[in-house]
Amino acid sequence: MTIADLWDQRIPAFLLSPSQFLATTTSESFLAELIHELRNDKANDQLKILLVSVLLEHPTILCPSTSVGEETALELLSVYSHTPQKSISLKCNIMLAITNVIICTSCLATHTKMAEDWLDLLFQTIQDTNDYRCGLSQQPLRATACDCLREMETCSPGLLSQKLEALYLLKQQETTVLHQSYCMLYTLGLKNAIRILTNQKDVTDLEFKSILGGNEGFAWKSNQLGLTFLPINMMVQVPRLPPGLDCKELKSVMSSLLEESYLLTPTSQSALLRELVEVVAMVPGLSPTLFKSQLLRLFGTAEVELMHATLFMKETFTDSLFTAEDENFLLKRLVSTAQHPLLRIPEKLFYMDCILHFPENRPISSSGEESLPVLVTPRLAASLLPTVFNDSATMLCRLNLLCLVYLEADEGEEDKGIDYLFDHIMALLKIVDGDGSREVVVTSFRAVYIFLMHFSGMEELSEKLIDKLCDMYSRQCRLAPNLIGLVDRIQECLGDHVWSVKLLRGLQKCIMEMPPLQLTIHNLSWHLKVLKRVAKEGQITQRNTIYLLLNVLINSNLCERGKWQVGNAVLAVCRNLLEHPSIDQVFIELADLLQYISVHYDDTDIKDHARFYYSLLTNLSWEKLTGVLAKGPDGGRAKERSYSATMAESEGIASNLTVRKTERHVLRLVKVQEKSLQSSSESSESLEATEETKKLLEVYQEQFQVPGFGSEVTLRYNLTHANEADTLFNRVFTICLHFELKDLNYAKVSDIHVPCVFRDRKPPEVNVKLRPFQPYPTTLCVSAIFTTQDGRSWHSQLPDVSVSFPEIFLPLPLPLNASRACKEEVFDRIWEAAASGSPDKSAISLFCFKTGDESLADLIKTHFQGYLITDEKSKGSWKVLFFLPPMCHVLLMITQAEDAVQVSIASDNWELLPFVNSYLQNITDHCSTTGTDG
C-alpha cells in the first residue's frame, strides 16, 4: 500500500468521525503528519488538496488554541510560498485553509502578527489588477484572495474601512471577470464602514468624507464592535447617521455601483443590492429613488435571487420607492410566475410564498405570519386554482392560498370559490377511496386539514366531509392513523372540538355497524386504534364500545389465539375508558370486560394487566384513578408516586421506590500511587543454558494462545467523597459503580459493587479491569447508584476518569524464574522482528534529548525501573520493554552519547509511536533540548 493510498483511507475516516479517529492518535501528532506530508515534494497536488481539506472542515479540532492556530498558519504559509506557480488549484486551497485557520482560531480577533502578515499578502495579491504582473494563469489566486478578504471583513466588520479608496481604485481598474469580486469586496467594506460611523456621536462632514478617501492600514480596533447584519424591517429601528451630511460623493459611488450591477451574476447582484439597501437605510441624505432606475429590470427578472432582493427592497422602503402601480404590477408578476410552465417546482413554491408574505405599502397586519395582500382578488388568483394533476407540494400551497382568497372574497365569488375547493377535496378523497398510494393519502388528508382550518364553521360542508370520511373508513380501515392524526391536529390548531368530536362519533358508529365478517384480526387492530382515540373524548358515550369489545371476545376465538399485540390494543382502549368522565355509567360493563380478559385471555402478561386495571377500577375513586393513570407532557407519569404507594396510601414506600438524581458530584475515584516495580532483571534464579533459553522463547510465544492471557490491565483507585459533597451523603451504602467508554478501543467494563463509603473512614480500594482491543489512552464515564442512611436511593455522576498511556504499561510477561539472559534474548528477538517486519505493522524510531549523567540515572530509576531488561550503567546503555495488552510491545534502547541521550524505539504496532513520543516528551520536558526522528 502506497502512502497516497494510506492517506486516501485516513482522511475520509477523520472527516467521517473526528472523535473516533483521534481515539487512536493525538491531534498534535496528526497535524504534524499532515504538515510533513504537505512539505513532501513527491506527493502530488491532488493528495495535498485532500490533506488541506481537513483544515478547511475541522480547523478547531486540530488547532484547539490561538497559539497552535498561528503556528499552523505559519507552516501553511511556508508550504504556500514553496508551492510551484503552476499548482494553482493547490495554492488556492492552501490560501483558503490559512484564512480559515486564522479566523476560526481567533488569530484575527486577537490581532496576531500572522494575521497581519497574511492580510498584507492578500492585499498585495489583489493589487495585480488585470493580471499585468503574474499573467492570466494566476487569475484564480486573485479571485480566492478577494474571497478570503471578504470572509475576514465579514468576521471582523470594519477591518477594511481604512482601505476604501484603494479598493475603489482597484475596482475601477479591473476589467476582467474578477471585476465582480472587487465590486463585492468594496461594497461590503463600504457598508461596514458606514455602520461603524452610526455608533459614533456628532459625525462631521470631514469624518464622513474620510471614509471614502481612506487609504491607510487595516482598522484592527473596529473588529471589537461585533457588527452583524442590520435587522431591517418595518418593525425595527435602523441605526442612522445624523441628517445634513454632504452625501454627493457617496451618491456618485452608489450610482456607479448600481450601473455596473447588471454585469454581475444574479447571486452577486442580489448580495450587492442588499448591501446598498442597508447603506441607503443608514444614510438619511441618500434617497431610495437611487434604485428607481433598476426597478424595471428587476420587475422583469426570471431569477429567484433578484426577485428576493426586490421584495427586500420593497419591505425596507415601501411607498418611498414603490408606487401603488408598482405594487400592483409586482403582485401580478408574482402570480404569473407562480404558474409558469418552464419554472421548477421549488421556484413556483417560492413565488407563492412571496405572495403570502408580500410586503405591502399599507399592510393591515405586520405580524410576519401568512396573510393575503389586499390586491390579490379572486379574479387575479383564478389561474392558481388547484387541480388533481398538480404535484403534492404545489397543490397544497395553491389550496392554502385560494382558501385565504375566498375567505376574504365577496359573497357571490366566495360561494362559487369555496364550492370549487370543496369539490377538489372530494375528488382527492375519491382517489384515496380507489386505493391510492401513500403519497396521495397523505396529500389528501393535508388538503382536508387546510380546508378545515379556514372553513370548519360551515356546517353543511363539514357534515358532508365527515360522512365522506366515515364512508371511506368503512372500506379502507388502514386510514385509521391518518384520521386520528387529522383529529389531533384540528384540535391543536382550532381549539374547537366540535368537528373532531362529530368525526370520532361517526367513526365509532361506523365500527359498531360493521358486519362480523369484517372484524378480522387485521382489521380489528385498526378499529382498536380508533376506539382508543374515541375513548379520550368525554363528550362521547362509551357503552357501545364496551359492548363491542365484549361481543368480539366472547363470540370469537380471539382469547385463545389472540396475540399479545391485539390484547395490548384492547387494554389500551380500556385504559382510556378508566379515565373517562362518565365511567360511573359503564362501571359494571367495564368491570365485566376486564374480568373476562383476566380469566380467558391466553397471554399471561395481558391477564396481569387486565387484573391490575380491574383492581384499580374497583378500589379507587375516579379522581385517584385518573391521578394514577395520568401522563406527563413527555409521555411519562405526571407524578413520581408509584402504584404501590397509591394503593397503600404510603408516601414512605413511594419515597423508597424512587431513585433521585444528585445535583453535584458525591463520589470520585482517586488514583492509587503505585510503588515502583522491581526490575525484571533482578531474577531470583538464573537459567543460562542455551537449551533453556530456547524453550523459554517457545513458552513465551505459546502462552498468548491461551484465551485471555495478558489481556487485562488492572487500575487501582480509592473511592472517596467529592470535596463539595453534601453532609447527607457522609455515609452511603451498597454502591454500584457503572462505567461507560467514550471510544471502541476497550471491552465493556463490568460494574463494581462497594459495600459502603464513610467520610470519616479510610476509603475503600476499587480495582478497575480494562481489556484493551487497542492500547490507546481513553476516558471512562463513571456513575453510581447508592443508598443513604434514610433509605433513599440516589443516582450520581462521578468525574470522568482519564486513563493515560503509561497506565497501560505492563512488565514483560515471563515466568518469575526467567534469567536476565533469557529476557534479553526475548527483547532482541522482538526487536529484530520489529526492524524486519511489515511496515504496515511494525516501526523503528529515534528520540533524542540532553541531560546529565545523574539526572539520566534518576529518570530511568523513576520511570523505567519496573521495565528494565538490562542495566549497564557503566557502559551508558539500558534496555527497556513495555508490554501493552492484548499483544503489543514497545522497546527502548537508551544510549548515553557525548552530546545527547539517544532513545531508539521499536514497536510491533506503529500506531503507538505518537503516544510513545508524547510520553517521552513529557518525562524529559525538564531537559534543555529534545528532538525526534521517525
Side-chain angles (χ1 to χ4, degrees), residues 63 88 120 228 435-436 451 473 512 601 773:
C63 308
I88 298 298
D120 291 335
T228 57
D435 200 16
F451 184 84
Y473 181 74
M512 298 301 129
Y601 207 86
F773 299 132

Side-chain angles (χ1 to χ4, degrees), residues 396 399-400 403-404 407 418 421-422 425-426 429 443-467 469 482-491 493-504:
L396 293 175
L399 178 64
N400 184 42
C403 284
L404 290 171
L407 196 62
I418 295 175
L421 296 179
F422 183 77
I425 298 293
M426 300 302 284
L429 294 179
T443 302
S444 302
F445 275 89
R446 287 180 177 176
V448 172
Y449 168 76
I450 292 173
F451 184 84
L452 289 172
M453 286 295 294
H454 297 94
F455 304 114
S456 60
M458 303 183 71
E459 293 186 7
E460 182 181 354
L461 297 181
S462 297
E463 292 291 344
K464 289 182 179 179
L465 198 53
I466 289 174
D467 292 341
L469 291 173
N482 304 92
L483 290 165
I484 294 171
L486 177 64
V487 168
D488 292 340
R489 299 294 82 75
I490 290 294
Q491 288 188 353
C493 298
L494 289 182
D496 185 7
H497 293 200
V498 175
W499 186 88
S500 57
V501 168
K502 286 183 179 179
L503 176 60
L504 290 172

Side-chain angles (χ1 to χ4, degrees), residues 618-682:
T618 55
N619 289 280
L620 297 182
S621 65
W622 182 76
E623 291 77 9
K624 289 185 177 180
L625 187 58
T626 54
V628 169
L629 298 176
K631 287 187 176 182
D634 58 348
R637 293 203 310 276
K639 299 180 180 180
E640 291 187 353
R641 301 183 64 191
S642 67
Y643 291 147
S644 303
T646 305
M647 297 287 289
E649 297 294 335
S650 171
E651 287 291 343
I653 298 177
S655 177
N656 291 339
L657 292 177
T658 302
V659 178
R660 293 165 172 79
K661 189 172 183 178
T662 62
E663 296 180 358
R664 296 181 295 181
H665 298 310
V666 173
L667 303 171
R668 62 184 178 129
L669 290 173
V670 180
K671 189 77 171 67
V672 175
Q673 296 299 324
E674 301 278 359
K675 295 181 180 180
S676 298
L677 297 171
Q678 293 300 316
S679 173
S680 58
S681 61
E682 298 175 1

Side-chain angles (χ1 to χ4, degrees), residues 181-201:
S181 299
Y182 284 83
C183 188
M184 297 300 299
L185 179 60
Y186 173 76
T187 307
L188 178 63
L190 176 64
K191 184 204 75 172
N192 287 339
I194 294 175
R195 177 71 192 281
I196 292 172
L197 269 188
T198 60
N199 293 329
Q200 300 180 16
K201 295 181 179 179

Side-chain angles (χ1 to χ4, degrees), residues 91-312:
K91 297 197 75 168
C92 289
N93 277 273
I94 296 176
M95 186 179 285
L96 291 171
I98 295 174
T99 305
N100 200 33
V101 169
I102 288 175
I103 293 174
C104 295
T105 58
S106 301
C107 292
L108 183 64
T110 55
H111 186 189
T112 61
K113 181 68 166 56
M114 175 60 207
E116 188 174 353
D117 294 342
W118 181 242
L119 271 172
D120 291 335
L121 180 59
L122 290 176
F123 207 81
Q124 290 174 15
T125 303
I126 68 171
Q127 286 178 325
D128 181 25
T129 54
N130 301 312
D131 305 303
Y132 287 140
R133 188 171 67 248
C134 297
L136 186 63
S137 62
Q138 302 299 308
Q139 193 176 91
L141 276 181
R142 288 199 297 130
T144 305
C146 286
D147 291 339
C148 291
L149 284 172
R150 278 189 65 202
E151 190 68 23
M152 298 177 88
E153 171 66 18
T154 301
C155 296
S156 182
L159 193 64
L160 302 176
S161 59
Q162 297 175 4
K163 292 275 192 181
L164 291 183
E165 182 181 15
L167 289 174
Y168 186 77
L169 291 175
L170 292 174
K171 178 187 77 70
Q172 293 295 94
Q173 294 170 8
E174 186 64 39
T175 58
T176 68
V177 293
L178 295 189
H179 179 82
Q180 172 176 282
S181 299
Y182 284 83
C183 188
M184 297 300 299
L185 179 60
Y186 173 76
T187 307
L188 178 63
L190 176 64
K191 184 204 75 172
N192 287 339
I194 294 175
R195 177 71 192 281
I196 292 172
L197 269 188
T198 60
N199 293 329
Q200 300 180 16
K201 295 181 179 179
D202 303 326
V203 179
T204 63
D205 281 332
L206 182 61
E207 290 175 325
F208 184 61
K209 290 181 179 180
S210 66
I211 292 179
L212 299 176
N215 193 10
E216 303 174 8
F218 297 102
W220 290 100
K221 293 183 179 179
S222 62
N223 65 2
Q224 300 174 1
L225 298 175
L227 304 182
T228 57
F229 280 117
L230 292 176
I232 293 183
N233 58 57
M234 293 176 288
M235 300 296 294
V236 179
Q237 183 65 35
V238 178
R240 296 168 68 88
L241 291 173
L245 296 175
D246 185 5
C247 301
K248 291 181 180 179
E249 189 175 354
L250 178 59
K251 184 177 181 180
S252 174
V253 170
M254 296 281 290
S255 299
S256 173
L257 290 170
L258 286 171
E259 288 173 2
E260 299 169 356
S261 63
Y262 76 94
L263 297 172
L264 278 58
T265 62
T267 303
S268 297
Q269 282 188 60
S270 177
L272 175 71
L273 288 172
R274 180 186 173 99
E275 309 286 7
L276 296 182
V277 166
E278 294 185 6
V279 170
V280 173
M282 290 187 291
V283 182
L286 294 178
S287 172
T289 55
L290 276 171
F291 299 98
K292 200 71 176 178
S293 60
Q294 305 295 319
L295 290 186
L296 184 61
R297 178 172 65 88
L298 293 174
F299 282 170
T301 183
E303 303 292 343
V304 170
E305 302 93 331
L306 294 180
M307 181 56 71
H308 189 273
T310 306
L311 294 173
F312 175 72

Side-chain angles (χ1 to χ4, degrees), residues 821-833:
C822 294
K823 294 180 179 181
E824 188 172 1
E825 180 70 17
V826 173
F827 180 96
D828 293 340
R829 291 291 181 88
I830 297 175
W831 186 283
E832 291 173 5

Side-chain angles (χ1 to χ4, degrees), residues 294-353:
Q294 305 295 319
L295 290 186
L296 184 61
R297 178 172 65 88
L298 293 174
F299 282 170
T301 183
E303 303 292 343
V304 170
E305 302 93 331
L306 294 180
M307 181 56 71
H308 189 273
T310 306
L311 294 173
F312 175 72
M313 216 182 299
K314 188 176 188 315
E315 183 182 21
T316 305
F317 300 126
T318 62
D319 54 1
S320 300
L321 179 60
F322 293 82
T323 64
E325 291 78 12
D326 293 335
E327 186 174 63
N328 190 24
F329 179 81
L330 188 55
L331 268 173
K332 289 181 179 179
R333 173 71 176 165
L334 289 173
V335 171
S336 63
T337 50
Q339 54 180 318
H340 199 287
L342 296 181
L343 292 181
R344 297 172 300 162
I345 292 173
E347 294 171 342
K348 294 179 182 179
L349 296 177
F350 165 76
Y351 287 118
M352 281 189 278
D353 194 63

